[in-house]
């Protein structure tokens, strides 16, 4: 899968590209004020470079950081074949927001990452996700709203806009079943 888009944060727009091969790896590249931001993840290791976070060159992520990223290698959707993937699912009930009703479902992956998904009772699309993430050694509650679902040519609906605590991610172009060399995820 190949995605191009931009991040909107505090009135600033930052272009990015993401390349992913299901179960093999993903890579995100962005540039802001002449500085490169890179994130690479494979099943066994992950690396990141973010000069704004103190990483001026591509460095290996620690075990906690990798554990948080590795589930993103599942580009199908966490709920597809969840049992075969070793995940567990628990229905927590229903919730209501903005006049809409949502199933509240906790999904815990085999790596132990857990998130609560709010699934629209009419469309069965995920409206938002809540998860706890470790950032710079601190646990933080993260909420992501998924919006602007569009149907891809392969027959799958994908959100083209997400809002994570005021940081808006817009997917301008999403391509499925695109050939991506596995060397894309090599770190030199």
């Amino acid at each position: 899968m190949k995605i191009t888009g931009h991040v909107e944060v505090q009135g600033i727009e930052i272009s990015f590209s993401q390349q992913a091969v299901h179960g093999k790896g993903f890579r995100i590249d962005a540039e802001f004020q002449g500085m490169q931001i890179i994130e690479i993840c494979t099943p066994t290791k992950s690396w990141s470079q973010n000069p704004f976070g103190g990483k001026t060159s591509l460095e290996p992520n620690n075990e906690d950081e990798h554990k948080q990223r590795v589930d993103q290698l599942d580009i199908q959707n966490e709920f597809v074949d969840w049992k075969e993937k070793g995940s567990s699912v628990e229905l927590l009930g229903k919730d209501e927001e903005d006049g809409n009703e949502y199933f509240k479902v906790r999904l815990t992956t085999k790596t132990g990452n857990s998130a609560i998904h709010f699934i629209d009772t009419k469309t069965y699309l995920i409206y938002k996700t809540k998860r706890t993430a470790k950032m710079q050694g601190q646990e933080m509650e993260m909420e992501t709203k998924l919006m602007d679902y569009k149907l891809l040519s392969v027959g799958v609906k994908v959100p083209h806009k997400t809002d994570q605590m005021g940081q808006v991610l817009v997917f301008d172009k999403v391509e499925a079943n695109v050939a991506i060399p596995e060397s894309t995820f090599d770190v030199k």
Side-chain angles (χ1 to χ4, degrees):
M1 180 177 283
K2 214 179 243 190
I3 299 171
T4 53
H6 61 277
V7 178
E8 299 168 358
V9 61
Q10 297 178 353
I12 299 168
E13 238 181 62
I14 304 168
S15 296
F16 75 91
S17 67
Q18 179 176 340
Q19 301 176 76
V21 175
H22 180 69
K24 302 277 184 188
F26 74 77
R27 179 183 179 120
I28 300 169
D29 291 276
E31 187 176 324
F32 182 65
Q33 296 180 339
M35 292 188 254
Q36 292 274 315
I37 301 166
I38 303 169
E39 190 169 319
I40 300 172
C41 183
T42 68
T44 57
K45 280 195 156 244
S46 60
W47 302 262
S48 61
Q49 173 180 318
N50 185 347
F52 303 100
K55 289 184 174 184
T56 56
S57 61
L58 203 54
E59 299 174 19
N61 290 321
N62 66 40
E63 194 176 314
D64 283 339
E65 292 169 323
H66 178 70
K67 181 183 169 197
Q68 288 180 102
R69 287 172 176 80
V70 75
D71 289 335
Q72 295 174 41
L73 295 175
D74 182 358
I75 64 173
Q76 293 174 324
N77 176 313
E78 293 172 309
F79 287 100
V80 174
D81 297 329
W82 61 270
K83 194 178 279 190
E84 289 81 4
K85 293 175 185 172
S87 298
S88 65
V89 173
E90 175 186 4
L91 178 61
L92 302 174
K94 288 185 179 178
D95 203 6
E96 196 174 301
E97 189 174 315
D98 299 329
N100 294 315
E101 191 174 49
Y102 302 98
F103 293 111
K104 205 171 158 182
V105 180
R106 179 189 323 274
L107 184 137
T108 304
T109 64
K110 71 177 177 184
T111 59
N113 292 325
S114 182
I116 298 173
H117 301 274
F118 293 77
I119 302 171
D120 190 296
T121 59
K122 293 180 187 121
T123 64
Y124 298 101
L125 297 173
I126 298 172
Y127 164 68
K128 75 177 173 182
T129 300
K130 288 184 176 184
R131 68 181 79 234
T132 303
K134 262 191 185 174
M135 299 188 81
Q136 298 172 342
Q138 302 282 323
E139 284 200 357
M140 258 181 87
E141 189 72 27
M142 307 286 281
E143 180 177 290
T144 305
K145 289 187 178 179
L146 296 86
M147 304 164 271
D148 193 19
Y149 278 87
K150 293 181 183 171
L151 187 64
L152 300 183
S153 61
V154 293
V156 177
K157 285 188 177 182
V158 173
H160 278 59
K161 189 175 187 179
T162 65
D163 183 341
Q164 186 171 28
M165 298 161 30
Q167 181 175 304
V168 178
L169 197 65
V170 178
F171 297 167
D172 298 319
K173 186 176 182 183
V174 179
E175 300 172 87
N177 297 331
V178 177
I180 298 171
E182 287 187 36
S183 60
T184 302
F185 316 117
D186 291 347
V187 175
K188 295 163 183 116

